[in-house]
Amino acid sequence: MTQQKIIDLFQNIALPFKDRAGGPKADAICKWLGERDIPCEYYPGTGIVANFSPDPSEAPRMVLMSHMDLIKTFQKGFANKITCEIRDKVIFGGLDNTITNAVALLVFEQLWKEKIHDVCLFFSEGEEVGCIGAMDFFDKTYIALRESFIVNLDVTNEGWGKSASIEYDKPNPSICRQVVHMFGNEVFYTTERECDDTHATNYYNLNGFSFCLPTKGMIHSYNNRAKLSSLEPYAANLLRLLKDLDLSVLKLPKEFCRGADERYFDAMDGMLNDDFYASPNVIY
């Protein structure tokens, strides 16, 4: 997944989209998936779902989620083929959230090539107006997804200079320990999550967090920007997360998670600080 592949796909799917109706962007995503023999369907009011079975016995191990709806500024811009501009090793443009849509597609394609079929891909709609699509999807699937892990992709103003920002408000220490082992200081960690589709994950008491692309500038503007150098490691780390995260810890009774070595996190120098343990939402 080269930097150029991500940018090219971003530009190819940077098209108008309308909640509950779909449109060119949804059509382009479904066509791209179909060309790779990846089963998918667009559900108005929910979004695009790929590789999901409603049978609880076939529930996905992971759900890769990324909202595809757009603010009005990007709707108009994309209709006029105004997508992005690259200068000074930075990509400026309507990144929210089409840039992570492109990354999600490329990462999922790689999983498919490797015959890893235990991940569901979900492009939600209505995130900008209250996480409508994600709420609808989880309302229909939350029972089947109780032992799954949802990774939500979005852009963020956190973690500039890092390859990603992991944002959560109901962290599981065992999951966090694995993530720190995987990525160390390469990614940013915060419990100060902005409103995004992980809200729906938490509402239905499911497991997950947001894995965001660090950007600068107002997110809902064409001044929003990301470092070109962050695109490849963001995709590579996402792929590693989806393949290697051990979810067996989610099946343990909560008392087995008590006594997590807090000093380990403290030693990471601000990556997971005292606020992590002070939060009333922490699950031990």
Side-chain angles (χ1 to χ4, degrees):
M1 285 161 284
T2 65
Q3 179 187 113
Q4 194 57 51
K5 267 192 170 183
I6 295 169
I7 294 170
D8 288 346
L9 185 53
F10 163 76
Q11 292 176 319
N12 288 340
I13 63 173
L15 299 165
F17 174 86
K18 186 175 181 180
D19 287 339
R20 303 185 186 280
K25 184 178 186 180
D27 293 343
I29 290 173
C30 287
K31 180 182 177 183
W32 192 93
L33 290 166
E35 289 171 348
R36 288 150 182 82
D37 296 320
I38 298 173
C40 71
E41 189 165 347
Y42 171 63
Y43 299 92
T46 305
I48 295 171
V49 182
N51 193 41
F52 180 80
S53 170
D55 184 343
S57 66
E58 299 177 5
R61 186 176 136 272
M62 309 273 278
V63 176
L64 178 58
M65 175 167 64
S66 176
H67 80 85
M68 63 179 171
D69 54 311
L70 306 165
I71 61 167
K72 290 183 180 179
T73 299
F74 300 154
Q75 289 273 27
K76 294 177 181 177
F78 289 178
N80 291 295
K81 302 188 184 306
I82 302 171
T83 59
C84 66
E85 179 182 347
I86 296 172
R87 62 179 188 272
D88 300 325
K89 299 182 180 179
V90 170
I91 179 170
F92 292 76
L95 305 183
D96 182 24
N97 191 32
T98 307
I99 193 69
T100 80
N101 297 163
V103 170
L105 285 169
L106 291 169
V107 167
F108 194 80
E109 178 187 30
Q110 185 59 38
L111 292 173
W112 205 255
K113 286 178 179 177
E114 295 180 25
K115 302 189 183 304
I116 298 173
H117 295 160
D118 59 0
V119 178
C120 164
L121 179 61
F122 173 44
F123 291 106
S124 68
E125 62 178 64
E127 189 268 357
E128 300 289 4
V129 291
C131 306
I132 292 171
M135 292 291 285
D136 186 70
F137 177 69
F138 291 133
D139 187 62
K140 294 179 173 68
T141 62
Y142 74 95
I143 293 176
L145 296 177
R146 282 176 176 166
E147 294 182 354
S148 303
F149 197 87
I150 294 89
V151 178
N152 176 54
L153 307 188
D154 211 330
V155 296
T156 183
N157 280 146
E158 302 284 356
W160 182 256
K162 303 287 187 178
S163 66
S165 175
I166 293 179
E167 305 181 1
Y168 44 73
D169 36 22
K170 288 189 176 181
N172 178 300
S174 297
I175 294 292
C176 289
R177 183 182 291 106
Q178 289 183 64
V179 170
V180 172
H181 273 297
M182 280 186 195
F183 307 127
N185 279 315
E186 190 177 343
V187 307
F188 184 79
Y189 307 82
T190 180
T191 55
E192 296 181 7
R193 182 183 60 82
E194 295 296 327
C195 183
D196 60 17
D197 273 340
T198 292
H199 166 75
T201 301
N202 293 337
Y203 182 87
Y204 284 95
N205 201 30
L206 298 172
N207 305 293
F209 53 50
S210 292
F211 190 86
C212 300
L213 178 69
T215 68
K216 263 191 176 181
M218 185 179 293
I219 288 175
H220 287 174
S221 77
Y222 275 93
N223 193 45
N224 191 217
R225 54 202 181 272
K227 289 186 176 183
L228 291 175
S229 61
S230 69
L231 297 180
E232 283 186 44
Y234 177 70
N237 285 338
L238 174 62
L239 179 63
R240 183 181 178 192
L241 178 73
L242 294 172
K243 291 171 66 174
D244 295 347
L245 192 65
D246 179 6
L247 301 184
S248 63
V249 295
L250 299 178
K251 300 178 182 179
L252 294 174
K254 288 184 180 179
E255 56 266 25
F256 281 86
C257 295
R258 295 186 184 276
D261 188 0
E262 300 180 13
R263 291 171 298 176
Y264 176 83
F265 296 105
D266 293 338
M268 300 309 292
D269 190 26
M271 292 167 55
L272 293 172
N273 56 30
D274 291 340
D275 292 340
F276 171 80
Y277 299 99
S279 170
N281 293 324
V282 170
I283 300 173
Y284 286 97

